[in-house]
Amino acid sequence: MPTPSTACVSTAEIQAVQLHLLAERTLISVKSSFIGLLLIGITQASSVAWEWLCGFIVLRLISMAYNHQLCRSILSQEPRTALGQGALNRLEWGLLTSGITWGLAAWMLPHVIGAELPAHALIILLIGVSGIMMNTAAITRRALHFFLWGMWSVVLGRVLWGNNDPYTHFLLAGGVSYAGLSLVHGLQLHAQSLAGITAGLENRRLLTAMTEASQREQAQGLALAQANLRLEAALARTKTLASFDELTGLMNRRAFHERLRFEIAAQRRHEEPAALLLLDLDYFKSINDRFGHQIGDAVLRSTANTLKSMLREADLLARWGGEEFLIVLPRTRIDEAGFAAERLRRALESTQIHVTADHEIAETPTPQGQSIAFSASFGVAEMHPGLTLDTVLSHADRALYAAKAGGRNRVCLGGPNLEIQDLTAATVEPDTTLFVPWA
């Protein structure tokens, strides 16, 4: 059963970290063991038989080589992969062999009690090794038990073996006490290590959860921002569709009425003249019937482009419906508006749409194709501050009707106190000094 402190961390996670730490520390201890072997060789060379000393060094080197190779293999893999291959179990048994081989150093002593300086140095060295290795083996409980009992059982066996001194039991009791105290201290180190590993894993898991939550929040924020952009684009498109004619890109009636309210208010405020032009394409139904709606749409777009290219920035242009277009010229008298309408009429009259034999639109004339010319009739009326838009429209519509009745492709002026005048039929040359921005 996991303890409350490890309930949110799996045993496999803890063991994987323990394996990695134990391998790191064991690798360091293997390298530092060469110093221990060197000290033993220096201090015991004159008092220990060479066969005993060489045998001890060989056994230690074998244990060190095994642990070194095992630790290198563990550290080169993913901890969980190495754990699944039983590396932790093998490393703990490797520490047992390390403890046993270190304990064998005591068997090189001819006498344990009453020994001379080299023996004392060896005992002190073994105590130091025990303390150092205890910090390494304390990563796992079993590694700690394996090393300490492996080492001190061999050392205490040497104390009992062939020792008839009456003080042997005192030395044995002291050795057991030291081994027991080392184990207690090692278990405390193990508890601290386990707590640190658990806290680290919990912190890592919490950090991972917070990072994932932050990433999800960022992703949601990005998705929301993208959705807002799409919504804004959809709203803008909806507004555009609600205000502009999709075919020609001109204002529709609704948008034109809104703009015209401001223009009428400005006209009244500044007491400036203004004029309204209503134009209708001539014989447009015949073009649709003969060439199809695709060519008819091209004629409407060409008309819109021609009008836009010749009007001023302050002028208002809208598709009024079908083949009708409406233009408002601010700060323009009706005679000036008539000349402007005549220029627009001539521009439209000179415009052509090129079609192929299959009634497809072409940029230039094609063999067996046709070039479609078209024209428009204009009705022009003056806008007075006291007149409503419907009234002005009726005046312009009456003038447009007169232009149609007069043979089409012409400009007629109309108004409340003005007889219908056919400006085109009067062969009046438009004043080219007017409306310079249109040039």
Coordinates of all heavy atoms in Angstrom, one line a residue, residues 82-163:
A82 N 15.2 0.7 -18.2 CA 16.1 -0.1 -17.4 C 15.5 -0.8 -16.2 O 15.8 -1.9 -15.9 CB 17.2 0.9 -16.9
L83 N 14.5 -0.1 -15.6 CA 13.8 -0.7 -14.5 C 13.0 -1.9 -14.9 O 13.0 -2.9 -14.2 CB 12.8 0.4 -13.9 CG 12.0 -0.1 -12.6 CD1 13.0 -0.3 -11.5 CD2 11.0 1.0 -12.3
G84 N 12.4 -1.8 -16.1 CA 11.7 -3.0 -16.6 C 12.6 -4.2 -16.9 O 12.1 -5.3 -17.0
Q85 N 13.8 -3.9 -17.2 CA 14.8 -5.0 -17.5 C 15.5 -5.6 -16.2 O 16.4 -6.4 -16.3 CB 15.9 -4.5 -18.4 CG 15.3 -4.1 -19.8 CD 16.4 -3.4 -20.6 OE1 17.5 -3.1 -20.2 NE2 16.0 -3.1 -21.9
G86 N 15.0 -5.1 -15.0 CA 15.5 -5.7 -13.8 C 16.8 -5.1 -13.4 O 17.6 -5.7 -12.6
A87 N 17.2 -3.9 -13.9 CA 18.5 -3.3 -13.6 C 18.6 -2.9 -12.1 O 19.7 -3.0 -11.5 CB 18.7 -2.0 -14.4
L88 N 17.5 -2.5 -11.4 CA 17.6 -2.1 -10.0 C 17.9 -3.3 -9.2 O 18.8 -3.2 -8.3 CB 16.2 -1.5 -9.6 CG 16.2 -1.1 -8.1 CD1 17.2 0.0 -7.8 CD2 14.8 -0.6 -7.8
N89 N 17.3 -4.5 -9.4 CA 17.7 -5.7 -8.7 C 19.1 -6.1 -8.9 O 19.8 -6.4 -7.9 CB 16.8 -6.8 -9.2 CG 16.9 -8.1 -8.3 OD1 16.8 -8.1 -7.1 ND2 17.3 -9.2 -9.0
R90 N 19.6 -6.0 -10.1 CA 21.0 -6.3 -10.4 C 22.0 -5.4 -9.7 O 23.1 -5.8 -9.2 CB 21.3 -6.4 -11.9 CG 20.5 -7.4 -12.6 CD 21.2 -7.8 -14.0 NE 21.3 -6.6 -14.8 CZ 20.3 -6.1 -15.6 NH1 19.1 -6.8 -15.7 NH2 20.5 -5.1 -16.4
L91 N 21.6 -4.1 -9.7 CA 22.5 -3.1 -9.1 C 22.6 -3.3 -7.6 O 23.6 -3.1 -6.9 CB 22.0 -1.7 -9.4 CG 22.9 -0.5 -8.9 CD1 24.4 -0.7 -9.4 CD2 22.4 0.8 -9.4
E92 N 21.4 -3.6 -6.9 CA 21.4 -3.9 -5.5 C 22.3 -5.1 -5.2 O 23.0 -5.1 -4.2 CB 20.0 -4.1 -5.0 CG 19.2 -2.8 -5.0 CD 17.7 -3.0 -4.8 OE1 17.2 -4.1 -5.0 OE2 17.0 -2.0 -4.4
W93 N 22.2 -6.1 -6.0 CA 23.1 -7.3 -5.8 C 24.6 -6.9 -6.0 O 25.5 -7.4 -5.4 CB 22.7 -8.4 -6.7 CG 21.5 -9.2 -6.1 CD1 20.2 -9.1 -6.5 CD2 21.5 -10.1 -5.1 NE1 19.4 -9.9 -5.8 CE2 20.2 -10.6 -4.9 CE3 22.5 -10.7 -4.3 CZ2 19.8 -11.5 -4.0 CZ3 22.1 -11.6 -3.3 CH2 20.8 -12.0 -3.2
G94 N 24.8 -6.0 -6.9 CA 26.2 -5.5 -7.2 C 26.7 -4.8 -6.0 O 27.9 -4.9 -5.6
L95 N 25.9 -4.0 -5.2 CA 26.3 -3.4 -4.0 C 26.6 -4.4 -2.9 O 27.4 -4.2 -2.0 CB 25.2 -2.3 -3.6 CG 25.2 -1.1 -4.5 CD1 24.0 -0.2 -4.1 CD2 26.5 -0.3 -4.4
L96 N 25.8 -5.5 -2.9 CA 26.1 -6.6 -2.0 C 27.5 -7.1 -2.2 O 28.3 -7.3 -1.2 CB 25.1 -7.7 -2.1 CG 25.4 -9.0 -1.2 CD1 25.3 -8.6 0.3 CD2 24.3 -10.0 -1.6
T97 N 27.9 -7.4 -3.5 CA 29.3 -7.9 -3.7 C 30.3 -6.8 -3.4 O 31.4 -7.2 -2.9 CB 29.4 -8.2 -5.2 OG1 29.2 -7.0 -6.0 CG2 28.4 -9.3 -5.7
S98 N 29.9 -5.5 -3.5 CA 30.9 -4.5 -3.2 C 31.1 -4.5 -1.7 O 32.2 -4.4 -1.2 CB 30.3 -3.1 -3.6 OG 31.2 -2.1 -3.2
G99 N 30.0 -4.6 -0.9 CA 30.2 -4.7 0.6 C 31.0 -5.9 1.0 O 31.8 -5.8 1.9
I100 N 30.7 -7.1 0.4 CA 31.5 -8.3 0.8 C 32.9 -8.1 0.5 O 33.8 -8.5 1.3 CB 30.9 -9.5 0.1 CG1 29.5 -9.8 0.6 CG2 31.8 -10.7 0.2 CD1 28.7 -10.9 -0.2
T101 N 33.3 -7.6 -0.7 CA 34.7 -7.5 -1.1 C 35.4 -6.5 -0.2 O 36.6 -6.6 0.1 CB 34.8 -7.1 -2.6 OG1 34.0 -5.9 -2.8 CG2 34.4 -8.3 -3.5
W102 N 34.7 -5.4 0.2 CA 35.3 -4.5 1.1 C 35.6 -5.1 2.5 O 36.6 -4.9 3.1 CB 34.5 -3.2 1.3 CG 34.7 -2.1 0.2 CD1 33.8 -1.7 -0.6 CD2 35.9 -1.4 0.0 NE1 34.3 -0.7 -1.4 CE2 35.6 -0.5 -1.1 CE3 37.2 -1.5 0.5 CZ2 36.6 0.3 -1.6 CZ3 38.2 -0.6 0.0 CH2 37.9 0.3 -1.1
G103 N 34.6 -5.9 2.9 CA 34.7 -6.6 4.2 C 35.9 -7.6 4.2 O 36.5 -7.9 5.2
L104 N 36.2 -8.2 3.0 CA 37.3 -9.2 2.9 C 38.7 -8.5 3.3 O 39.6 -9.3 3.6 CB 37.4 -9.7 1.5 CG 36.3 -10.7 1.1 CD1 36.4 -11.1 -0.3 CD2 36.3 -11.9 2.0
A105 N 38.7 -7.2 3.3 CA 40.0 -6.6 3.7 C 40.4 -6.9 5.1 O 41.6 -7.0 5.5 CB 39.9 -5.1 3.5
A106 N 39.4 -7.2 6.0 CA 39.6 -7.5 7.4 C 40.3 -8.9 7.5 O 41.0 -9.1 8.5 CB 38.3 -7.5 8.2
W107 N 40.1 -9.7 6.5 CA 40.7 -11.1 6.6 C 42.2 -11.1 6.3 O 42.9 -12.1 6.4 CB 40.0 -12.0 5.7 CG 38.6 -12.4 6.2 CD1 37.5 -11.6 6.2 CD2 38.3 -13.6 6.9 NE1 36.4 -12.3 6.8 CE2 36.9 -13.5 7.2 CE3 39.0 -14.7 7.2 CZ2 36.2 -14.5 7.9 CZ3 38.3 -15.8 7.9 CH2 36.9 -15.6 8.2
M108 N 42.7 -9.9 5.8 CA 44.1 -9.8 5.6 C 44.9 -9.6 6.9 O 46.1 -9.8 6.9 CB 44.4 -8.7 4.6 CG 43.9 -8.9 3.2 SD 44.4 -7.6 2.0 CE 43.8 -6.2 2.7
L109 N 44.2 -9.2 8.0 CA 44.9 -8.9 9.2 C 45.2 -10.2 9.9 O 44.3 -11.1 10.2 CB 44.0 -8.1 10.1 CG 43.6 -6.7 9.6 CD1 42.6 -6.0 10.5 CD2 44.8 -5.8 9.4
P110 N 46.5 -10.4 10.4 CA 46.8 -11.6 11.1 C 46.2 -11.6 12.5 O 45.8 -12.7 13.0 CB 48.3 -11.6 11.2 CG 48.7 -10.2 11.0 CD 47.6 -9.6 10.1
H111 N 46.0 -10.5 13.1 CA 45.4 -10.3 14.4 C 44.5 -9.1 14.4 O 44.9 -8.0 13.9 CB 46.4 -10.2 15.5 CG 47.4 -11.3 15.6 ND1 47.1 -12.5 16.1 CD2 48.7 -11.4 15.2 CE1 48.1 -13.4 16.0 NE2 49.1 -12.7 15.5
V112 N 43.3 -9.2 14.9 CA 42.4 -8.1 15.0 C 42.6 -7.3 16.3 O 42.6 -6.0 16.3 CB 40.9 -8.5 14.9 CG1 40.0 -7.3 15.0 CG2 40.7 -9.3 13.6
I113 N 42.8 -8.0 17.4 CA 43.0 -7.3 18.7 C 44.5 -7.3 18.9 O 45.3 -8.2 18.7 CB 42.3 -8.1 19.8 CG1 40.8 -8.2 19.5 CG2 42.6 -7.4 21.2 CD1 40.1 -9.1 20.5
G114 N 45.0 -6.1 19.4 CA 46.4 -5.9 19.7 C 47.2 -5.7 18.4 O 48.4 -5.9 18.5
A115 N 46.5 -5.5 17.3 CA 47.3 -5.3 16.0 C 48.1 -4.0 16.0 O 47.8 -3.1 16.8 CB 46.3 -5.4 14.8
E116 N 49.0 -3.9 15.1 CA 49.8 -2.8 15.0 C 49.2 -1.7 14.1 O 48.1 -1.8 13.6 CB 51.2 -3.2 14.6 CG 51.8 -4.2 15.5 CD 53.3 -4.3 15.4 OE1 53.9 -3.5 14.6 OE2 53.9 -5.1 16.1
L117 N 50.0 -0.7 13.8 CA 49.5 0.5 13.1 C 48.9 0.2 11.8 O 47.8 0.7 11.4 CB 50.6 1.5 12.9 CG 50.3 2.8 12.2 CD1 49.2 3.6 13.0 CD2 51.5 3.7 12.1
P118 N 49.4 -0.6 10.9 CA 48.8 -0.9 9.6 C 47.4 -1.5 9.8 O 46.5 -1.2 9.0 CB 49.7 -2.0 9.0 CG 51.0 -1.7 9.6 CD 50.8 -1.3 11.0
A119 N 47.2 -2.3 10.8 CA 45.9 -2.9 11.0 C 44.9 -1.8 11.5 O 43.7 -1.8 11.1 CB 45.9 -4.0 12.1
H120 N 45.4 -0.9 12.3 CA 44.5 0.2 12.7 C 44.1 1.1 11.6 O 42.9 1.5 11.4 CB 45.2 1.0 13.8 CG 45.5 0.3 15.1 ND1 46.5 0.7 16.0 CD2 45.0 -0.9 15.6 CE1 46.5 -0.1 17.0 NE2 45.6 -1.1 16.8
A121 N 45.1 1.3 10.7 CA 44.8 2.1 9.5 C 43.7 1.5 8.6 O 42.8 2.1 8.1 CB 46.1 2.4 8.7
L122 N 43.8 0.1 8.5 CA 42.9 -0.6 7.7 C 41.5 -0.5 8.3 O 40.5 -0.3 7.5 CB 43.3 -2.0 7.5 CG 42.4 -2.9 6.6 CD1 42.3 -2.4 5.2 CD2 42.9 -4.4 6.6
I123 N 41.4 -0.7 9.6 CA 40.1 -0.6 10.3 C 39.4 0.8 10.1 O 38.2 0.9 9.8 CB 40.2 -1.0 11.8 CG1 40.6 -2.5 11.9 CG2 38.9 -0.7 12.5 CD1 40.9 -2.9 13.3
I124 N 40.3 1.8 10.3 CA 39.8 3.2 10.1 C 39.3 3.4 8.6 O 38.2 4.0 8.4 CB 40.9 4.2 10.5 CG1 41.1 4.1 12.0 CG2 40.4 5.6 10.1 CD1 42.3 5.0 12.4
L125 N 40.0 2.8 7.7 CA 39.7 2.9 6.3 C 38.3 2.2 6.0 O 37.5 2.8 5.3 CB 40.8 2.4 5.4 CG 40.6 2.5 3.9 CD1 40.4 3.9 3.4 CD2 41.7 1.8 3.1
L126 N 38.2 1.1 6.6 CA 36.9 0.3 6.4 C 35.7 1.1 7.0 O 34.6 1.1 6.4 CB 37.0 -1.1 7.0 CG 37.9 -2.1 6.3 CD1 38.0 -3.4 7.0 CD2 37.4 -2.3 4.8
I127 N 35.9 1.7 8.1 CA 34.9 2.5 8.7 C 34.5 3.7 7.8 O 33.3 4.0 7.6 CB 35.3 3.0 10.1 CG1 35.4 1.8 11.1 CG2 34.3 4.0 10.7 CD1 35.9 2.2 12.5
G128 N 35.5 4.3 7.2 CA 35.3 5.4 6.3 C 34.6 5.0 5.1 O 33.6 5.7 4.6
V129 N 35.0 3.8 4.5 CA 34.3 3.3 3.3 C 32.8 3.0 3.7 O 31.9 3.3 2.9 CB 35.0 2.0 2.8 CG1 34.1 1.3 1.8 CG2 36.3 2.3 2.2
S130 N 32.6 2.4 4.9 CA 31.2 2.2 5.3 C 30.4 3.4 5.3 O 29.2 3.4 4.9 CB 31.2 1.5 6.6 OG 29.9 1.3 7.1
G131 N 30.9 4.5 5.9 CA 30.2 5.8 5.9 C 29.9 6.4 4.6 O 28.8 6.8 4.3
I132 N 30.9 6.3 3.7 CA 30.7 6.9 2.4 C 29.7 6.1 1.6 O 28.8 6.6 1.0 CB 32.1 6.9 1.6 CG1 33.0 7.9 2.3 CG2 31.8 7.3 0.2 CD1 34.4 7.9 1.8
M133 N 29.8 4.8 1.6 CA 29.0 3.9 0.8 C 27.5 3.9 1.4 O 26.6 3.6 0.6 CB 29.5 2.5 0.7 CG 30.7 2.4 -0.2 SD 30.4 2.8 -1.9 CE 29.1 1.7 -2.3
M134 N 27.4 4.2 2.7 CA 26.1 4.2 3.3 C 25.2 5.3 2.6 O 24.0 5.2 2.3 CB 26.2 4.5 4.8 CG 24.8 4.6 5.5 SD 25.1 4.7 7.3 CE 26.1 6.2 7.3
N135 N 25.9 6.5 2.3 CA 25.1 7.6 1.6 C 24.7 7.2 0.2 O 23.7 7.6 -0.3 CB 26.0 8.8 1.5 CG 26.2 9.5 2.9 OD1 25.3 9.7 3.6 ND2 27.5 9.8 3.3
T136 N 25.6 6.3 -0.4 CA 25.2 5.9 -1.8 C 24.1 4.9 -1.7 O 23.1 5.0 -2.5 CB 26.4 5.3 -2.5 OG1 27.5 6.3 -2.6 CG2 26.1 4.7 -3.8
A137 N 24.2 3.8 -0.9 CA 23.3 2.8 -0.9 C 21.9 3.1 -0.2 O 20.9 2.4 -0.4 CB 23.8 1.6 -0.1
A138 N 21.9 4.3 0.5 CA 20.6 4.7 1.2 C 19.5 5.1 0.2 O 18.4 5.4 0.7 CB 20.9 5.8 2.2
I139 N 19.8 5.1 -1.1 CA 18.7 5.5 -2.1 C 17.6 4.5 -2.0 O 16.4 4.8 -2.0 CB 19.3 5.5 -3.5 CG1 20.4 6.6 -3.6 CG2 18.2 5.8 -4.5 CD1 19.9 8.0 -3.4
T140 N 17.9 3.1 -1.8 CA 16.9 2.1 -1.6 C 17.1 1.4 -0.4 O 18.3 1.2 0.0 CB 16.8 1.2 -2.8 OG1 18.0 0.3 -2.8 CG2 16.7 1.9 -4.2
R141 N 16.1 0.9 0.3 CA 16.2 0.2 1.5 C 17.0 -1.1 1.3 O 17.9 -1.4 2.1 CB 14.9 -0.1 2.1 CG 14.9 -0.8 3.5 CD 13.4 -1.2 3.9 NE 12.6 0.0 4.0 CZ 12.4 0.7 5.2 NH1 13.0 0.2 6.3 NH2 11.6 1.7 5.2
R142 N 16.8 -1.8 0.3 CA 17.4 -3.1 0.1 C 18.9 -2.9 -0.2 O 19.7 -3.7 0.2 CB 16.8 -3.9 -1.0 CG 17.2 -5.4 -1.0 CD 16.3 -6.3 -1.8 NE 16.5 -6.1 -3.3 CZ 16.3 -7.0 -4.2 NH1 15.9 -8.2 -3.8 NH2 16.5 -6.8 -5.4
A143 N 19.2 -1.9 -1.0 CA 20.6 -1.7 -1.3 C 21.4 -1.3 0.0 O 22.6 -1.8 0.1 CB 20.8 -0.5 -2.3
L144 N 20.8 -0.6 0.9 CA 21.4 -0.2 2.1 C 21.7 -1.5 3.0 O 22.8 -1.7 3.5 CB 20.5 0.7 2.9 CG 21.0 1.2 4.3 CD1 22.3 2.0 4.2 CD2 19.9 2.0 5.0
H145 N 20.6 -2.3 3.1 CA 20.8 -3.6 3.9 C 21.9 -4.5 3.2 O 22.7 -5.1 3.9 CB 19.5 -4.3 3.9 CG 18.6 -3.8 5.0 ND1 18.7 -4.1 6.3 CD2 17.5 -3.0 4.9 CE1 17.7 -3.5 7.0 NE2 17.0 -2.8 6.1
F146 N 21.8 -4.6 1.9 CA 22.8 -5.5 1.2 C 24.2 -5.1 1.5 O 25.1 -5.9 1.8 CB 22.5 -5.5 -0.3 CG 21.4 -6.5 -0.7 CD1 20.6 -7.1 0.2 CD2 21.2 -6.8 -2.0 CE1 19.7 -8.0 -0.1 CE2 20.3 -7.7 -2.4 CZ 19.5 -8.3 -1.5
F147 N 24.5 -3.8 1.3 CA 25.9 -3.3 1.4 C 26.3 -3.4 2.9 O 27.4 -4.0 3.2 CB 26.0 -1.9 1.0 CG 27.4 -1.4 1.1 CD1 28.4 -1.7 0.2 CD2 27.8 -0.6 2.2 CE1 29.7 -1.3 0.3 CE2 29.1 -0.2 2.4 CZ 30.1 -0.5 1.4
L148 N 25.6 -2.9 3.8 CA 26.0 -2.8 5.2 C 26.2 -4.2 5.8 O 27.2 -4.6 6.4 CB 25.1 -2.0 6.1 CG 25.1 -0.5 5.9 CD1 24.1 0.2 6.8 CD2 26.5 0.1 6.1
W149 N 25.1 -5.1 5.6 CA 25.3 -6.4 6.2 C 26.3 -7.3 5.4 O 26.9 -8.1 6.0 CB 23.9 -7.1 6.2 CG 22.9 -6.5 7.2 CD1 21.7 -6.0 7.0 CD2 23.2 -6.4 8.6 NE1 21.1 -5.5 8.1 CE2 22.0 -5.7 9.2 CE3 24.2 -6.7 9.5 CZ2 21.9 -5.4 10.5 CZ3 24.1 -6.4 10.8 CH2 22.9 -5.8 11.3
G150 N 26.4 -7.0 4.1 CA 27.4 -7.8 3.4 C 28.8 -7.4 3.9 O 29.7 -8.3 4.0
M151 N 29.0 -6.2 4.1 CA 30.4 -5.7 4.6 C 30.6 -6.2 6.0 O 31.7 -6.8 6.3 CB 30.5 -4.2 4.4 CG 31.8 -3.7 4.9 SD 31.9 -1.9 4.6 CE 33.6 -1.6 5.3
W152 N 29.7 -5.8 6.9 CA 30.0 -6.0 8.4 C 29.8 -7.5 8.8 O 30.4 -7.9 9.8 CB 29.1 -5.1 9.2 CG 29.6 -3.7 9.1 CD1 29.1 -2.7 8.4 CD2 30.8 -3.2 9.7 NE1 29.8 -1.5 8.5 CE2 30.9 -1.8 9.3 CE3 31.8 -3.7 10.6 CZ2 31.9 -1.0 9.7 CZ3 32.8 -2.9 11.0 CH2 32.9 -1.5 10.6
S153 N 29.1 -8.2 8.1 CA 29.0 -9.7 8.4 C 30.4 -10.3 8.1 O 30.8 -11.2 8.9 CB 27.9 -10.4 7.6 OG 28.1 -10.3 6.2
V154 N 31.0 -9.9 7.0 CA 32.4 -10.5 6.7 C 33.4 -10.0 7.7 O 34.3 -10.7 8.2 CB 32.8 -10.1 5.3 CG1 34.2 -10.5 5.0 CG2 31.8 -10.7 4.3
V155 N 33.3 -8.7 8.1 CA 34.3 -8.1 9.1 C 34.1 -8.8 10.4 O 35.1 -9.2 11.1 CB 34.1 -6.6 9.2 CG1 34.9 -6.0 10.4 CG2 34.5 -5.9 7.9
L156 N 32.9 -8.9 10.9 CA 32.6 -9.6 12.2 C 32.9 -11.0 12.2 O 33.3 -11.6 13.2 CB 31.1 -9.3 12.6 CG 30.8 -7.9 12.9 CD1 29.3 -7.7 13.2 CD2 31.6 -7.3 14.0
G157 N 32.8 -11.7 11.0 CA 33.2 -13.1 10.9 C 34.7 -13.2 11.1 O 35.1 -14.2 11.7
R158 N 35.5 -12.2 10.6 CA 36.9 -12.2 10.9 C 37.2 -12.1 12.4 O 38.1 -12.7 12.9 CB 37.6 -11.1 10.1 CG 39.1 -11.0 10.3 CD 39.8 -12.3 9.9 NE 41.2 -12.3 10.3 CZ 41.7 -12.7 11.4 NH1 40.9 -13.3 12.3 NH2 43.0 -12.7 11.7
V159 N 36.4 -11.2 13.1 CA 36.6 -11.0 14.5 C 36.4 -12.4 15.3 O 37.2 -12.7 16.2 CB 35.7 -10.0 15.1 CG1 35.8 -9.9 16.6 CG2 36.0 -8.6 14.4
L160 N 35.4 -13.1 14.9 CA 35.1 -14.4 15.6 C 36.1 -15.5 15.1 O 36.4 -16.4 15.9 CB 33.7 -14.8 15.3 CG 32.6 -13.9 15.9 CD1 31.2 -14.4 15.4 CD2 32.7 -14.0 17.4
W161 N 36.6 -15.4 13.9 CA 37.4 -16.6 13.4 C 38.8 -16.6 14.0 O 39.5 -15.6 13.9 CB 37.5 -16.5 11.9 CG 38.3 -17.6 11.3 CD1 39.6 -17.6 10.9 CD2 37.7 -18.9 10.9 NE1 39.9 -18.8 10.4 CE2 38.8 -19.7 10.4 CE3 36.5 -19.5 11.1 CZ2 38.6 -21.0 10.0 CZ3 36.3 -20.8 10.6 CH2 37.4 -21.5 10.1
G162 N 39.1 -17.7 14.7 CA 40.5 -17.9 15.2 C 40.9 -16.9 16.2 O 42.1 -16.6 16.3
N163 N 40.0 -16.3 17.0 CA 40.3 -15.3 18.0 C 39.9 -15.9 19.4 O 38.7 -15.9 19.7 CB 39.5 -14.0 17.7 CG 40.5 -12.8 17.8 OD1 41.5 -12.9 18.5 ND2 40.2 -11.8 17.0

